[in-house]
Amino acid sequence: MRLTKATDLALRVVMSLAATDPEPSTARRIADEMRVPYNHLAKVVARLQRMGIVETRRGRGGGLCLTDAGRDVSIGRLVRDLEGVGDVVDCEGDVPCPLRQACRLRSALRRAQEAFYASLDAVTLADLVTAPTGPVLLGLVGRPPSG
């Protein structure tokens, strides 16, 4: 299984925000830190905002910050929501697979996909930004690591 680029970027955004929490950041700063196009990151931030994970504030002292739900979300839940419901393989595509009526692979892949998500369910955002990752994230924003 491979995550979409949007999910990968969303995870990096929330990790960056968690490392600098409670200080807000900006989409422009995170795009620069992560070396990704601002337009791509802005779309991801908009989606995270719709999901209730990120809050955006305009004006002086504004920027992006995690919501309470964003701070507490399991990584498994976040990845499920970002990736959406779907099979690992498309058995019903433009040219349906001739094995689809009797295939055992599809259900095996579904179980493997759920095991992947389940392994991420116990992982929190706080887990992802502990050392050594947190200090690296803080270094990207030019803040000295604490402790």
Side-chain angles (χ1 to χ4, degrees):
M1 185 173 154
R2 184 179 193 125
L3 299 179
T4 63
K5 289 182 181 183
T7 297
D8 173 46
L9 187 51
L11 291 170
R12 289 193 267 163
V13 167
V14 296
M15 289 171 61
S16 178
L17 292 174
T20 59
D21 196 41
E23 293 295 318
S25 190
T26 66
R28 178 86 49 205
R29 177 186 293 165
I30 295 172
D32 291 344
E33 292 165 8
M34 299 298 167
R35 299 182 185 133
V36 297
Y38 171 76
N39 291 340
H40 292 264
L41 189 121
K43 289 177 187 175
V44 168
V45 167
R47 184 160 183 212
L48 289 169
Q49 183 181 15
R50 286 190 305 274
M51 292 170 64
I53 302 298
V54 170
E55 179 181 7
T56 60
R57 298 182 198 142
R58 293 183 176 259
R60 187 174 175 90
L64 308 173
C65 60
L66 292 170
T67 63
D68 289 340
R71 285 182 194 90
D72 296 335
V73 70
S74 86
I75 300 306
R77 170 59 35 213
L78 183 57
V79 171
R80 272 185 194 90
D81 291 347
L82 289 164
E83 289 291 309
V85 178
D87 287 323
V88 176
V89 294
D90 185 9
C91 301
E92 307 295 332
D94 293 339
V95 179
C97 177
L99 300 175
R100 71 186 180 281
Q101 299 303 321
C103 184
R104 297 176 71 177
L105 178 61
R106 188 178 196 177
S107 62
L109 290 172
R110 277 191 192 133
R111 286 191 305 275
Q113 181 181 33
E114 186 48 41
F116 171 77
Y117 289 139
S119 71
L120 294 174
D121 283 339
V123 180
T124 66
L125 194 49
D127 295 332
L128 295 181
V129 296
T130 59
T133 307
V136 171
L137 287 165
L138 289 173
L140 291 175
V141 297
R143 296 182 187 164
S146 60

